[in-house]
Amino acid sequence: MPIRKNAFSLALSVAMTLGSAQAVTNITVWYPWGPPDGQAVVDRANEFNAAQSDIHVNAVLVSGSGIQGTTQGKFLTSVTSGQVPDAVLYWGQDVIPGLANLGALEPLDGYFAGSGLKPATINPAALNAMKVGGKTYGIPQMSSDLMLYYNKAMFKAAGLQPPRTLAELDAAAEKLTVKNGNDVSRMGFIPWLQQGLPLVWSGIFGGTGKLVDASGKVNVSNSGTLKALQWEAKYVQKYGAANLTRFISSIGSTTGSSASDPFLLGKVAMEVNGQWHGNYLKRYKPDLDYGVVPIPYPVGGTPNATWINSNAWLIPKGSKNPLAAMKFIAFTSQVAVSAKHADAVYNISPIIGASKLQKTLDQPAVKLANQLFGSKNVFTSPVTPQILNLQNELTTAFEAVQQGSSTPEAALAAAQKNLDQSK
């Protein structure tokens, strides 16, 4: 009968509608920053939601993604309580070994096939840095590497060419330093400003690969790290710890890119920084005449060596929708999508082939960063559950030498002792 048929059709239509609504998988993703980087993540989520109807991503800003080391923070609390987000984006890979060791991360290898994401499409150095014990615990989202920024006008006035080796860098630094007695008004170079971190210089001297030996034991007194610290000590001996400390305290922000960056202000002629710094120079000092070259290398070192670091997609243990989260990650890892994201945040894409599509390649720092990213001499932080303690102890040791309160040998010995006792 028509009436019964219409009722049946209506019921079927309602059931199908409800079925369709119930089929949508809602996932929550934490991201760590405000705009512009955070907004770019929200933009990718909106694009993914518009591109398909099976999964809806709710991107939520959680400062630092709730990850503070590996012993506290909102992230671990969520894992313990079972109220975890489905995925988390973090700004580095160094927390992965510790979190994996605590059982707080889901191994991702079993989700590659179902999500459509192929490991072979990801830069191997960036991906391998997120593996622990042969298992993949993170997917690189955006990557960065480091280079030497130099002031072209200062170099031209001094009749200098950009340095290729550390010997050339040291000579240029001395010639470009301006001082009156102990009062320094401009430094040619200070190794530890901005991104001149202990792990970076250790790697340039070949030490990063030796920080963890074959047995898994951390060894901060290896020859490369010692040579790096001995080289920094020569700056302290030449210019004086007190003079350097007084100068550094007077030149603005020395640990992060900003409008008060000493290179931007002409207080230093060179500094080590990432490709993102070019965006700050463009924004705050567009008329600055600067160039970028690979970090100079020591005797016996290798050209085009640089430290790379990547933001990491993580899936916490207990995620209710790990495959759906992985499908969103796969979407953001498509070549064109990843290239667009890299342009938005002045990063380099870890997805093979994406760099060719980046529109920011006309910027010298982005262009060089992409070239270095493919170098066989790139290095990453060592993969060890002790990585955060290792970084802290290295920082303490290097600062002791920079402040003139310890010798390189004594500082590294103290760091090694502390690490051995903390195991």
Side-chain angles (χ1 to χ4, degrees):
M1 299 176 64
I3 294 177
R4 293 183 64 182
K5 183 177 181 180
N6 288 343
F8 174 77
S9 297
L10 178 62
L12 179 61
S13 176
V14 170
M16 291 179 65
T17 301
L18 289 174
S20 176
Q22 290 170 351
V24 176
T25 301
N26 290 287
I27 65 172
T28 299
V29 171
W30 289 358
Y31 63 94
W33 323 270
D37 292 50
Q39 183 58 49
V41 177
V42 174
D43 291 343
R44 299 295 86 74
N46 291 338
E47 291 167 3
F48 179 72
N49 293 338
Q52 48 76 55
S53 57
D54 295 331
I55 302 167
H56 182 88
V57 176
N58 180 32
V60 179
L61 170 61
V62 175
S63 180
S65 284
I67 298 175
Q68 300 173 20
T70 56
T71 58
Q72 56 181 331
K74 187 173 182 177
F75 176 82
L76 281 180
T77 300
S78 74
V79 172
T80 303
S81 66
Q83 302 299 313
V84 295
D86 295 291
V88 166
L89 179 62
Y90 189 61
W91 53 50
Q93 71 234 2
D94 290 352
V95 297
I96 291 177
L99 292 175
N101 197 46
L102 290 172
L105 297 179
E106 183 77 19
L108 305 179
D109 304 275
Y111 300 108
F112 277 116
S115 68
L117 179 58
K118 298 179 179 178
T121 63
I122 304 171
N123 178 286
L127 183 59
N128 288 337
M130 300 188 180
K131 294 182 178 179
V132 180
K135 296 181 180 179
T136 306
Y137 286 95
I139 304 296
Q141 184 247 9
M142 286 287 120
S143 298
S144 298
D145 56 39
L146 305 177
M147 61 200 71
L148 182 75
Y149 284 71
Y150 70 96
N151 186 305
K152 284 186 175 180
M154 292 179 187
F155 269 69
K156 183 178 181 180
L160 292 168
Q161 296 296 317
R164 295 175 300 114
T165 67
L166 280 187
E168 294 173 352
L169 182 149
D170 294 341
E174 183 173 3
K175 194 167 185 178
L176 291 167
T177 294
V178 178
K179 62 180 183 177
N180 182 13
N182 290 330
D183 294 329
V184 179
S185 57
R186 185 181 79 193
M187 282 295 296
F189 183 67
I190 300 176
W192 51 91
L193 292 189
Q194 298 296 20
Q195 299 300 313
L197 306 172
L199 277 178
V200 175
W201 288 117
S202 174
I204 293 296
F205 279 83
T208 298
K210 302 174 182 174
L211 283 169
V212 179
D213 65 21
S215 69
K217 184 179 186 302
V218 172
N219 175 20
V220 295
S221 297
N222 67 78
S223 59
T225 304
L226 178 59
K227 288 178 181 177
L229 194 46
Q230 289 172 332
W231 169 69
E232 289 200 0
K234 292 179 181 177
Y235 276 75
V236 179
Q237 294 164 3
K238 177 177 289 187
Y239 299 104
N243 297 334
L244 288 171
T245 299
R246 185 168 59 252
F247 174 75
I248 291 171
S249 66
S250 71
I251 59 173
S253 174
T254 59
T255 57
S257 296
S258 72
S260 62
D261 167 67
F263 178 77
L264 183 152
L265 297 175
K267 296 293 185 181
V268 295
M270 299 175 278
E271 72 178 18
V272 171
N273 221 317
Q275 82 286 330
W276 68 83
H277 194 55
N279 198 27
Y280 284 83
L281 298 181
K282 181 180 179 182
R283 183 185 309 169
Y284 296 115
K285 191 69 172 177
D287 60 341
L288 181 64
D289 188 15
Y290 73 93
V292 288
V293 293
I295 298 174
Y297 55 93
V299 175
T302 53
N304 298 326
T306 190
W307 179 66
I308 64 172
N309 184 57
S310 301
N311 304 334
W313 283 113
L314 312 172
I315 294 183
K317 202 74 172 180
S319 167
K320 294 178 176 59
N321 301 291
L323 181 58
M326 196 70 168
K327 288 181 177 178
F328 171 57
I329 295 169
F331 170 81
T332 67
S333 302
Q334 295 179 66
V335 171
V337 176
S338 186
K340 180 170 66 174
H341 196 101
D343 280 340
V345 297
Y346 244 68
N347 276 186
I348 50 181
S349 169
I351 305 303
I352 295 172
S355 65
K356 295 179 180 177
L357 302 181
Q358 283 192 241
K359 297 177 180 177
T360 49
L361 285 178
D362 61 339
Q363 302 297 312
V366 176
K367 182 178 180 179
L368 178 59
N370 270 295
Q371 292 171 347
L372 292 173
F373 198 53
S375 167
K376 63 180 181 181
N377 296 324
V378 299
F379 56 90
T380 62
S381 302
V383 179
T384 168
Q386 283 188 281
I387 182 62
L388 297 180
N389 283 341
L390 169 61
Q391 289 175 323
N392 290 336
E393 290 298 335
L394 274 180
T395 297
T396 299
F398 273 59
E399 286 180 348
V401 173
Q402 293 157 7
Q403 294 164 5
S405 61
S406 181
T407 65
E409 293 79 5
L412 290 179
Q416 186 66 54
K417 181 179 179 181
N418 290 338
L419 285 165
D420 291 343
Q421 293 176 343
S422 67
K423 288 181 64 178

